[in-house]
Amino acid sequence: MRVLFDGQIFELQKFGGISRYFTELINGINSYSAHQAICPIIYSENIHYSEKINPKIPILDQLNMMLELRFNIEKRKRYCTRKNGKGITKSLQSQNFDVFVPTYYDTDFLSDLRDKPFVLNVYDMIHEIFPSHLSSEDHIAIQKAKLIEKATKIIAISQSTKNDILKFHPKTDASKIDVVYLSHSLDNSEILELGLPANYILFVGNRGGYKNFAFFLNAIASLLLDTQGLFLVCAGGNAFNEDEGEMIKNLGLDEKVIQINFKDFELATYYKKAKCFVFPSAYEGFGIPVLEAMSCGCPVVLAAHSSFPEVAEDAGLYFELDNAEDLNQKVRALLEDENLRTHYSKKGIVQASKFSWEKTVADCVKVFKSALKS
């Protein structure tokens, strides 16, 4: 079976959960002797793609070097975007594949697909649930609706996401939606010396909108102020913006909140040294950071809604969504009780072991075969 991927996500993301997923999926499919994953892009600055896929194609490495020498960065990007687009169109028009998999919600491929089956991946329904957080020029929800209608099969990355698809698109045949869980790619075999505080709560990633950072910070402010030597470490997400800086100052937390960007290989150390990891997000289609934290033995505090109970099951310590006092109490309980931390640490390691990219790839291949039969 030949599976064609369009690679659009590798242009949209320099790194991130979706591009990580497709990197693992393409790499995993190509480990099957009976199957082949094709992604006809000549160049990508995506970190995951460059690490795992590009090195296997020496001619692309040579081309990358040529492009580095011939063009400045912006010209190179425009050139590569055009070449990538032409490569995908050519592959579609050749019809030399069995199943097509778009990696995001661009609908341009539909005109060249003809009667070939395609499998749509739906990661979440954020655009439908939180439209106020998005630009008026964001048309993802419209494009997604069109693809949901036309897809041969749909992969939802959690049962929660499947339920949300059916809620917003009730005419969709539920039997064409398969749930396939994701995994994580964290190497937690080594602890690095990164100059982190001895006692800290960990927050990872983007902080805007539905990620609920402002709610989280206000909820634990008293805990940070009351506990000598306790810090909040915000890993990733780039430097605090003006509004965040003002909020931190007004709460009197200037000396208590630290923001540090990290490299991929450093992230496991952040989890391993933290007293707990808090994921206050109002919604996630899956939530890879939950798996990352649990795999490192870091106790996880998260809301009992969305996809979280599917991922963490009884290995997470849950708070009531938007209940600041409850969140404060749950974090405080972990900080004050070493036995409780050990309990959730052990449970998390066991729970995280239930997920693997090998299982994700195998389940996706089953869906692709099913689409081909259809």
Side-chain angles (χ1 to χ4, degrees), residues 220-233:
I220 67 163
S222 63
L223 187 56
L224 290 168
L225 292 170
D226 294 345
T227 310
Q228 187 173 1
L230 178 65
F231 296 87
L232 169 63
V233 171

Side-chain angles (χ1 to χ4, degrees), residues 87-235:
I88 292 161
T89 299
K90 184 178 179 180
S91 296
L92 282 164
Q93 292 175 344
S94 74
Q95 296 285 289
N96 188 24
F97 61 93
D98 300 301
V99 179
F100 178 67
V101 181
T103 56
Y104 206 57
Y105 302 120
D106 193 309
T107 59
D108 288 349
F109 70 88
L110 290 172
S111 59
D112 292 312
L113 194 60
R114 287 182 248 174
D115 61 350
K116 294 285 189 179
F118 83 91
V119 177
L120 177 69
N121 286 264
V122 177
Y123 320 103
D124 54 53
M125 298 298 281
I126 286 169
H127 296 81
E128 293 79 3
I129 296 172
F130 300 104
S132 61
H133 292 300
L134 304 166
S135 163
S136 60
E137 297 180 359
D138 191 310
H139 304 300
I140 294 298
I142 297 172
Q143 294 173 307
K144 191 193 300 182
K146 185 176 183 179
L147 295 178
I148 286 172
E149 178 188 352
K150 293 183 176 295
T152 313
K153 297 285 289 185
I154 297 171
I155 290 174
I157 61 174
S158 65
Q159 183 63 46
S160 171
T161 298
K162 178 175 179 176
N163 294 343
D164 288 337
I165 294 170
L166 295 172
K167 174 183 176 182
F168 285 95
H169 302 282
K171 293 183 180 179
T172 304
D173 180 359
S175 67
K176 84 170 186 176
I177 307 175
D178 290 288
V179 174
V180 176
Y181 291 122
L182 306 185
S183 186
H184 73 92
S185 306
L186 211 60
D187 179 2
N188 57 26
S189 60
E190 187 178 2
I191 299 180
L192 307 173
E193 286 301 324
L194 299 176
L196 294 166
N199 190 17
Y200 66 91
I201 300 164
L202 180 64
F203 181 97
V204 174
N206 295 325
R207 301 180 296 271
Y210 66 92
K211 296 295 185 179
N212 253 358
F213 177 72
F215 157 77
F216 164 58
L217 188 60
N218 278 276
I220 67 163
S222 63
L223 187 56
L224 290 168
L225 292 170
D226 294 345
T227 310
Q228 187 173 1
L230 178 65
F231 296 87
L232 169 63
V233 171
C234 298

Side-chain angles (χ1 to χ4, degrees), residues 43 45 67-68 72-80:
Y43 183 82
E45 293 185 349
L67 293 172
E68 292 276 1
N72 65 35
I73 292 173
E74 287 306 314
K75 284 184 178 180
R76 188 175 77 241
K77 284 181 179 178
R78 290 195 296 271
Y79 172 82
C80 291

Side-chain angles (χ1 to χ4, degrees), residues 13-50:
Q13 287 188 332
K14 189 167 185 178
F15 58 88
I18 302 175
S19 55
R20 168 74 78 182
Y21 160 52
F22 279 107
T23 297
E24 298 290 350
L25 184 53
I26 291 168
N27 199 49
I29 289 173
N30 283 331
S31 69
Y32 284 79
S33 58
H35 307 302
Q36 182 183 6
I38 309 151
C39 187
I41 59 175
I42 63 164
Y43 183 82
S44 173
E45 293 185 349
N46 181 273
I47 293 170
H48 313 309
Y49 184 89
S50 299

